[in-house]
Amino acid sequence: MLNLRVLACHHSAQLARVLESRAVRCSRVRTGQNSSPSSRRGRGTTNIDSAQNARDSTLATMSLVRRCAPALVTLLLSWRVFAQDRGGEGIHVPETLKLSRLVDLAAEVNRYQVHYNPSDLEANVTLRVPGPLSATQVQELMVEVLASRGLTSIRTPGSSGLSIIKLEQAASHASINGADAAGFTTVVITAKHQSAKVLAEGIKPFLSRPAGVASVIGDSPMITLSDFTTRVRELEGLLERLDTPDALTLTPVQLKHTAAPVVVAAATQVNVKRESAGGRKLLGEVLVGSESGTVLVLAQPQSLQSWLDLIGQLDKREPLETVTYSPRYYSAKDIATLVQATANPVGAVGLTDDRFQTVIDDLTSSLIVTATAAQHERIAALMARIDSAEQTPMPVRSFPVKNRPVVEVLGTLQQLIAAGALESDAAGTSRAEVSAGSSQTTPRAPQLPPGTSSAGSSTLLPQSGPRAQVTNTAQRPPLSLTADEPTNTLIAIGEPRLLSQLESLLVSLDVRQPQVMLEVQLVSLTESEALSLGAELERIGSIGNASARLSSLFGLSTGGAAARTVGDAAGFTGAVLNPGEFSIIVRALETLNKGRSVSNPKVLVSNNEKAVFSSTLQQPVQQLTRTGSNDSTFSYGGTENAGTTISVKPQIAQGDHLVLTYSIKLSSFVGASTTAGLPPPKQENAVDSVASIPDGHTVVVGGLDLITDSKGESRIPGIGAIPVLGELFKTRNNNDSRTRFFVFIKASVLRSTSFEDLKYISANEAEKARVSDGFPEVKPRVIR
């Protein structure tokens, strides 16, 4: 708008100069001024030229006027506004105009530049103005209208004019100590006497909503105040009145009897009640001191003595006395919290006493209370109300059993109740008679605990003795239990005292047992060594007319006399044959065998539970059936099993060890069947024992070492016993074997309540076996 106004002024000056020059020239032509006699003599020619020049000037003037008309109109309007403002007539604001026109008008009359987004100021506004306004009033009117539309004007840092922005953005964009023309501004005020934080909190109720902001700059005494410019000027004056020197004094008072929090609470309450009763409220405050038993009085000098007198009256204590309370129907543990909240409520002014003490006596089911007389009165009234609830309906409670079968827990409770674990009142005059209702069962038949009838309800107490007699009379039993197997929940109906005792029993019975990861290693080692050494000699000759044959034979060759043959065999074989004369055969063989077999089963089992692991091989057996004297048939006759069978029951004991009851069998077939229809021979190694083993260590719990040593010789009597020479007349077979069987067990107790140790072990084994853990695999994906 300023550029437009300057352009209008420029064109108007140019227009004035042109019109003036043209008018002078035309007047001179018309009047004939400054014409010489010669010029007058040639007047006919001169008049023609003058007319032509006049026409040209007129056309140029009209073209210039058309170009400068918009600027000239704006200039005239501005001049009218300025003339009205300077002449004292004021500025006439139209009744209806656009918001942008109102902003432009305020900028024109107050002579500043303005920047705004035209789309924010498209709305029309209707103004009810009584008459002409001054420039200042036009500015104030613009600020009010903008604020009603959620807008305001600010001076941004580094800007030469004002900007129109949304009201919620003004505090963060306005420059500090902006121009007075801005509708919204930010100033920084330094606190001199009072805390900057206190001053900022004091003026917050007077800030404009929602744009006004007052905040402390860090730990400094400076306050930033952002609001409408007129409101900022008002709040600056308010801060000057609030920021006055402090005349309060802080006086410490040492208490003798009462605790500091009690005195502070009582003094505050008395001061408030004094005003409500028509008295004068003391100015100041009592605070808890940093030292034990000390309070601080913050007050003006004229009120200090009144505070000291009030504290002296409150610093007194009532004597204590100890009383034992024995509730009739409820346990002392259940009502201890209620007694505490009734007699000594925390935070209740005038009622709290740090000397109050309650002791729960579980042996006699009573409550020992040390308190003042007033507190004992409240406790006595509470106990009388609780003990009068004899005829009220018995409460029903359900106890979810999380770690064991509910039927098993019910059987354990039967034994405890029969032994007198529950008492119906504090004096123990009668033991609880508990009846167990029939359990809700699934279609399969459950195993009921001992003493429970499948036909209906039964008692949990033995059926002998006067206390175990439970009859279906109108008198209700002190406690009734029902086991709901589908939800594994124990439902109890009975006296509150018995329900509390039952809950305590269930806490110790329903405990999650740790699990044990058992790793069993079955190692079988075999070693064997066999030596076979022998020689055969044969000589055929004649003595006179008689044939003679000398031989030392051990089965190394075949054939008859004078026709000895040697077949291929393992080992070393040496033969010298001269058929019809002699033969020498030597054979030697040594066999060495070493074997190792390892079986490594793993099984996860809960504490005190039995786990069985079996891996067997089934060998089919033929069955011989004779149908006649010479006819026989073979058919399937069953199987023989061989393999590994492990039965383990761990019991976690005190410390880092376990009591392990185990039975291990390792069997295998050795060789082929000797007769058709019979199974092959089978070797079985078994270990059965009870042992204590450390947690997390691999220990050997059993083993078998079988050693076989055999030596055999076949020789010619007499000559075969001669050293060295006798080796030619004998054969030797030596067999040495050793078989060892060991059982190693590693037991690892998994105690983590969140199963982190089990997850870790499972993750390692799954990775080795390349088994997926079931979790989805996250992969990046390109989205276009």
Side-chain angles (χ1 to χ4, degrees), residues 640-705:
E640 286 291 331
N641 299 331
T644 303
T645 302
I646 301 174
S647 175
V648 183
K649 181 179 180 181
Q651 178 184 354
I652 302 175
Q654 283 280 3
D656 293 334
H657 70 276
L658 301 93
V659 178
L660 205 64
T661 303
Y662 62 93
S663 174
I664 301 174
K665 291 183 179 181
L666 180 63
S667 58
S668 60
F669 295 107
V670 290
S673 176
T674 57
T675 305
L678 296 179
K682 182 173 65 174
Q683 179 183 359
E684 182 174 284
N685 299 320
V687 178
D688 189 355
S689 180
V690 178
S692 296
I693 63 174
D695 177 21
H697 294 270
T698 302
V699 295
V700 58
V701 295
L704 179 64
D705 195 351

Side-chain angles (χ1 to χ4, degrees), residues 281-536:
K281 183 178 180 180
L282 297 178
L283 299 179
E285 190 175 357
V286 182
L287 308 173
V288 178
S290 57
E291 298 181 1
S292 179
T294 303
V295 295
L296 302 177
V297 180
L298 182 64
Q300 296 181 354
Q302 59 269 25
S303 303
L304 178 59
Q305 189 58 44
S306 299
W307 280 111
L308 296 178
D309 295 342
L310 177 59
I311 292 173
Q313 297 174 4
L314 297 176
D315 189 17
K316 296 179 181 179
R317 281 195 167 184
E318 296 184 49
L320 297 178
E321 56 179 327
T322 302
V323 178
T324 300
Y325 297 93
S326 298
R328 184 177 180 184
Y329 298 106
Y330 296 91
S331 65
K333 180 181 179 182
D334 290 339
I335 67 172
T337 304
L338 181 60
V339 169
Q340 167 76 27
T342 303
N344 195 43
V346 178
V349 180
L351 299 179
T352 304
D353 193 337
D354 59 345
R355 300 174 298 169
F356 182 86
Q357 186 178 10
T358 58
V359 177
I360 300 175
D361 186 2
D362 290 328
L363 297 177
T364 61
S365 190
S366 58
L367 198 63
I368 304 174
V369 181
T370 301
T372 62
Q375 291 172 334
H376 280 301
E377 291 180 1
R378 292 192 290 270
I379 296 175
L382 174 65
M383 299 300 295
R385 181 173 60 85
I386 291 176
D387 290 342
S388 63
E390 179 179 0
Q391 300 302 325
T392 58
M394 285 190 177
V396 180
R397 292 187 61 182
S398 61
F399 301 96
V401 181
K402 302 177 181 179
N403 303 293
R404 298 176 60 184
V406 65
V407 175
E408 180 182 337
V409 174
L410 192 61
T412 305
L413 288 175
Q414 170 199 2
Q415 301 175 6
L416 294 175
I417 295 172
L422 301 182
E423 295 292 337
S424 63
D425 55 30
T429 55
S430 62
R431 190 168 296 166
E433 297 177 356
V434 182
S435 63
S438 59
S439 302
Q440 300 180 14
T441 60
T442 54
R444 60 182 182 182
Q447 295 181 356
L448 298 178
T452 303
S453 173
S454 60
S457 63
S458 63
T459 178
L460 286 182
L461 296 180
Q463 297 301 322
S464 61
R467 296 174 185 244
Q469 194 70 23
V470 179
T471 57
N472 190 11
T473 60
Q475 184 181 4
R476 57 187 179 183
L479 182 66
S480 295
L481 300 178
T482 301
D484 184 13
E485 289 189 55
T487 60
N488 209 52
T489 302
L490 187 67
I491 302 174
I493 305 174
E495 297 177 357
R497 174 193 294 276
L498 294 178
L499 293 179
S500 177
Q501 296 177 19
L502 178 63
E503 182 179 10
S504 301
L505 285 176
L506 288 175
V507 169
S508 58
L509 293 177
D510 186 19
V511 178
R512 188 181 74 84
Q513 295 294 322
Q515 299 185 102
V516 181
M517 176 63 75
L518 293 173
E519 300 181 37
V520 182
Q521 287 190 353
L522 307 177
V523 182
S524 179
L525 304 175
T526 58
E527 299 176 3
S528 64
E529 180 178 356
L531 176 62
S532 177
L533 180 62
E536 286 185 351

